[in-house]
């Protein structure tokens, strides 16, 4: 898909389709009014027939509109003008893309990018239009049969022009280019998450990271195997991997375009490529969705794809501990005690709380090996976070208020939102073990997302650290969402801007 940014009067625009907005009660936006005038009232007459009243997300496609150079005009409902906000804007852009898919239009021009969204400029509108369009047009059909793939109607749309006021052209062009980089990272994350678990093994995930490094010379990748993990003392990580025939991998990524000697930002992503729960086995219902338990790791790889395309001037490292969690004669058992790389012993009371067991060793490795300026881990960690926040916000925990606020702001800017939950020391007592330094779960169901984050906090006290629990946001239904790549890349972009400013 090609995106261009231009500034041209709608009445003189030549394209297969022009896109304008309609507010509630059939009120055309400014560019719709201009087209209506050119068409001598044809748009207004179409609205009077009652086929579209302007409710948010509605669309109406008009063909052969008199005196209009474009072959089609797509009217997109915007809802009430006084209520038009960021979410309504994204919804309108997605609705336009969805409608365009069903047409024969090869190129279209959108004037939705002129709409007023409070506190957001033209660059933001362009960025969000690209991301919403890419999200709507995404399909994952690699594993369908050849006949089924041949029968799938592909969109004919090849070029989308985003019109902006002339003074905003350069900013809009930069925004479109940046959004395409983020979209590429989101797409890679979705592809990895959607790939079936018999294909997307730890070895496959490591191979995908290595392919990323081949595409981008600024990225390097190392993969640590079982012997190296044993040498490092990662007994917690290896304990989870013992139940699977697939060998574990610690995937390490580096991107260094920041100042020499500048400490890196670290991203650590949970890479459980399939989670049965282990001996504490999960119910059969929806267990197929546990292929998405590696989406934290996938988002780290996707973020590197975006950062490399953007060429951000930062130092960035990533760690993805990858393995399967399966029941086997060698698997962890409830009551087992393992020793982590940090030397902290862990009593395993529930083998389905395995994500924290692989993350704690990866976090210790990152701290010792890289001494990062900040560290962010991303994990589909707890069902409790889904109960607390649903599918709309990722859970955020941090031991550094400034880091938490920066992540929250990045989420608000992109619509990839997070919500901060407490990390008070009071919760540590819930992880008391009778026989080890710490238990991997508390004795009850209370505060499950918080106690999971508190467990990780035991291994991150020396770092400026944040934890994103994306169990509710990384996939929806049977499809990966690509979250929280937009949040992460926005945070990293702002981090790079702050680092570039003279102190």
């Amino acid at each position: 898909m090609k995106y261009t940014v231009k500034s041209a009067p709608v009445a003189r625009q030549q394209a297969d389709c022009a896109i304008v907005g309609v507010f509630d009660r059939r009120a055309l936006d400014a560019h719709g009014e201009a087209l209506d005038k050119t068409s001598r009232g044809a748009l207004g007459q179409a609205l009077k027939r009652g086929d579209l009243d302007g409710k948010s997300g509605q669309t109406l496609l008009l063909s052969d509109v008199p005196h209009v150079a474009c072959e089609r005009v797509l009217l997109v409902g915007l809802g009430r003008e006084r209520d038009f906000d960021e979410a309504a804007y994204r919804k309108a852009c997605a609705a336009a893309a969805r409608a365009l898919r069903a047409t024969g239009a090869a190129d279209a021009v959108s004037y939705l990018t002129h709409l007023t969204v409070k506190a957001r400029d033209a660059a933001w509108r362009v960025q969000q239009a690209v991301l919403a369009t890419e999200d709507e047009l995404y399909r994952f059909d690699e594993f369908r049969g050849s006949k089924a793939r041949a029968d799938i109607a592909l969109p004919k749309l090849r070029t989308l022009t985003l019109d902006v006021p002339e003074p905003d052209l350069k900013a809009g062009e930069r925004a479109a280019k940046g959004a395409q980089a983020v979209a590429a990272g989101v797409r890679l994350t979705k592809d990895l998450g959607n790939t079936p678990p018999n294909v997307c093994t730890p070895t496959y995930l490591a191979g995908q990271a290595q392919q990323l490094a081949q595409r981008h010379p600024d990225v390097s990748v190392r993969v640590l195997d079982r012997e190296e993990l044993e040498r490092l003392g990662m007994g917690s990580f290896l304990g989870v991997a013992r139940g699977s025939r697939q060998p574990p991998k610690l995937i390490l990524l580096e991107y260094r375009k920041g100042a020499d000697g500048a400490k890196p930002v670290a991203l650590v992503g949970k890479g459980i490529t399939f989670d049965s729960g282990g001996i504490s086995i999960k119910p059969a219902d929806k267990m197929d969705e546990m292929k998405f338990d590696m989406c934290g790791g996938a988002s780290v790889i996707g973020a590197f794809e975006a950062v490399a395309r953007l060429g951000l001037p930062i130092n960035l490292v990533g760690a993805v501990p990858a393995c399967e969690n399966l029941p086997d004669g060698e698997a962890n058992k409830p009551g087992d005690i393992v020793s982590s790389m940090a030397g902290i012993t862990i009593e395993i009371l529930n083998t389905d709380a395995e994500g924290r067991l692989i993350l704690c060793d990866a976090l210790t490795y990152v701290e010792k090996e890289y001494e990062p300026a900040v560290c962010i881990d991303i994990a589909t960690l707890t069902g409790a976070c889904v109960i607390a926040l649903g599918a709309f916000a990722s859970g955020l925990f941090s031991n550094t208020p400034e880091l938490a606020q920066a992540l929250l702001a990045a989420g608000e800017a992109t619509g990839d939102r997070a919500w901060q939950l407490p990390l008070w020391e009071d919760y540590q007592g819930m992880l008391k073990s009778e026989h080890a330094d710490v238990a991997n779960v508390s004795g009850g169901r209370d505060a499950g997302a918080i106690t999971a984050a508190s467990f990780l906090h035991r291994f991150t006290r020396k770092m400026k650290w944040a934890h994103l629990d994306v169990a509710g946001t990384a996939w929806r239904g049977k499809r990966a969402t690509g979250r929280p790549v937009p949040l992460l890349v926005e945070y990293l972009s702002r981090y790079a801007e702050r680092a570039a400013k003279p102190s």
Side-chain angles (χ1 to χ4, degrees):
M1 182 74 159
K2 180 182 178 182
Y3 294 90
T4 62
V5 178
K6 293 183 179 179
S7 182
V10 65
R12 284 186 272 165
Q13 185 65 250
Q14 289 187 326
D16 289 348
C17 186
I19 306 165
V20 295
V22 182
F23 288 105
D24 196 25
R25 299 180 185 271
R26 306 170 191 169
L28 288 159
D29 67 11
H31 289 83
E33 288 178 349
L35 272 186
D36 190 46
K37 183 176 180 181
T38 300
S39 69
R40 299 174 187 173
L43 270 64
Q45 286 298 319
L47 291 173
K48 286 179 182 178
R49 288 195 292 267
D51 293 334
L52 181 142
D53 56 18
K55 286 187 169 53
S56 181
Q58 288 182 326
T59 58
L60 177 63
L61 186 68
L62 305 176
S63 297
D64 301 320
V65 179
H67 313 296
V68 172
C70 294
E71 294 178 5
R72 306 166 183 82
V73 174
L74 178 62
L75 304 179
V76 180
L78 305 175
R80 292 197 298 180
E81 187 168 7
R82 67 181 182 184
D83 297 332
F84 191 73
D85 59 8
E86 297 162 339
Y89 176 77
R90 294 187 189 98
K91 186 175 181 179
C93 292
R98 189 160 55 251
L100 286 171
R101 272 188 67 91
T103 74
D107 63 280
V109 56
S110 176
Y111 287 87
L112 300 179
T113 37
H114 282 267
L115 293 166
T116 298
V117 182
K118 186 177 180 180
R120 299 300 182 189
D121 57 14
W124 181 90
R125 296 193 297 272
V126 167
Q127 179 202 50
Q128 293 302 303
V130 172
L131 292 176
T133 302
E134 287 290 312
D135 187 62
E136 189 60 43
L137 297 182
Y138 173 83
R139 292 294 183 272
F140 185 76
D141 299 313
E142 182 179 346
F143 291 89
R144 297 186 188 277
S146 56
K147 185 179 185 305
R149 287 202 303 273
D151 290 342
I152 295 170
L154 297 176
K156 293 183 173 61
L157 188 67
R158 293 290 177 267
T159 303
L160 179 61
T161 297
L162 304 168
D163 199 274
V164 298
E166 189 168 351
D168 296 314
L169 274 173
K170 288 186 178 180
E173 289 169 355
R174 289 193 298 270
K177 183 178 179 181
Q180 289 175 81
V182 176
V186 169
R187 188 165 54 249
L188 176 57
T189 301
K190 288 180 179 179
D191 285 348
L192 292 172
N194 289 327
T195 299
N198 60 320
V199 175
C200 188
T201 63
T203 300
Y204 176 89
L205 202 58
Q208 292 298 299
Q210 289 166 333
Q211 287 185 27
L212 185 152
Q214 291 172 6
R215 292 193 299 273
H216 301 292
D218 293 321
V219 177
S220 62
V221 171
R222 290 185 298 134
V223 180
L224 306 188
D225 59 18
R226 189 187 302 272
E227 289 185 0
E228 291 167 297
L229 302 178
E230 289 174 348
R231 181 178 55 79
L232 288 166
M234 294 191 177
S236 186
F237 179 12
L238 289 168
V240 176
R242 278 204 308 267
S244 170
R245 296 179 184 179
Q246 294 291 337
K249 305 289 181 183
L250 180 59
I251 305 162
L252 301 169
L253 305 96
E254 294 189 25
Y255 168 90
R256 296 193 179 274
K257 290 195 73 173
D260 290 341
K263 291 185 175 182
V265 175
L267 302 178
V268 180
K270 175 185 171 184
I272 297 289
T273 56
F274 188 77
D275 180 21
S276 71
I279 299 298
S280 307
I281 197 163
K282 295 176 179 289
D285 183 44
K286 295 186 178 180
M287 194 193 284
D288 60 294
E289 295 182 13
M290 288 301 97
K291 70 176 185 177
F292 296 118
D293 213 21
M294 41 63 70
C295 283
S299 71
V300 170
I301 296 172
F304 268 79
E305 175 74 34
V307 166
R309 286 173 178 252
L310 289 167
L312 292 184
I314 60 171
N315 295 328
L316 181 67
V317 299
V320 180
C323 68
E324 294 179 329
N325 184 30
L326 295 175
D328 180 80
E330 291 292 322
N332 279 335
K333 303 175 293 297
D336 282 358
I337 294 177
V338 296
S339 183
S340 66
M341 183 181 176
I344 297 172
T345 61
I346 305 162
E347 184 177 14
I348 300 169
L349 300 181
N350 187 325
T351 66
D352 194 22
E354 85 297 330
R356 64 201 74 182
L357 297 176
I358 70 171
L359 284 171
C360 69
D361 276 344
L363 288 164
T364 299
Y365 180 87
V366 164
E367 179 200 316
K368 292 184 176 181
E369 185 73 12
Y370 299 111
E371 297 182 353
V374 297
C375 177
I376 305 162
D377 79 67
I378 310 99
T380 52
L381 205 62
T382 66
C385 195
V386 186
I387 299 301
L389 299 175
F392 301 104
S394 300
L396 170 64
F397 303 82
S398 183
N399 61 9
T400 308
E402 297 81 10
L403 174 57
Q405 288 303 313
L407 289 167
L408 290 170
E412 288 293 336
T414 57
D416 185 6
R417 293 181 293 182
W419 189 261
Q420 188 171 8
L421 294 163
L423 197 64
W424 302 327
E425 199 65 22
D426 310 55
Y427 292 103
Q428 289 289 345
M430 296 176 69
L431 294 169
K432 182 180 179 182
S433 166
E434 293 295 330
H435 306 290
D437 296 332
V438 64
N440 76 324
V441 294
S442 68
R445 295 170 58 87
D446 295 355
I450 297 173
T451 54
S454 296
F455 177 92
L456 295 176
H457 191 204
R458 293 212 176 195
F459 299 84
T460 56
R461 293 186 186 276
K462 295 180 182 178
M463 295 189 286
K464 294 180 178 179
W465 162 79
H467 161 62
L468 285 167
D469 191 331
V470 296
T473 56
W475 79 93
R476 184 170 293 184
K478 305 292 183 182
R479 298 178 180 180
T481 64
R483 296 178 66 182
V485 170
L487 181 158
L488 293 172
V489 178
E490 180 69 18
Y491 167 79
L492 292 169
S493 298
R494 295 182 178 195
Y495 184 93
E497 288 178 6
R498 292 194 301 272
K501 291 180 180 177
S503 55

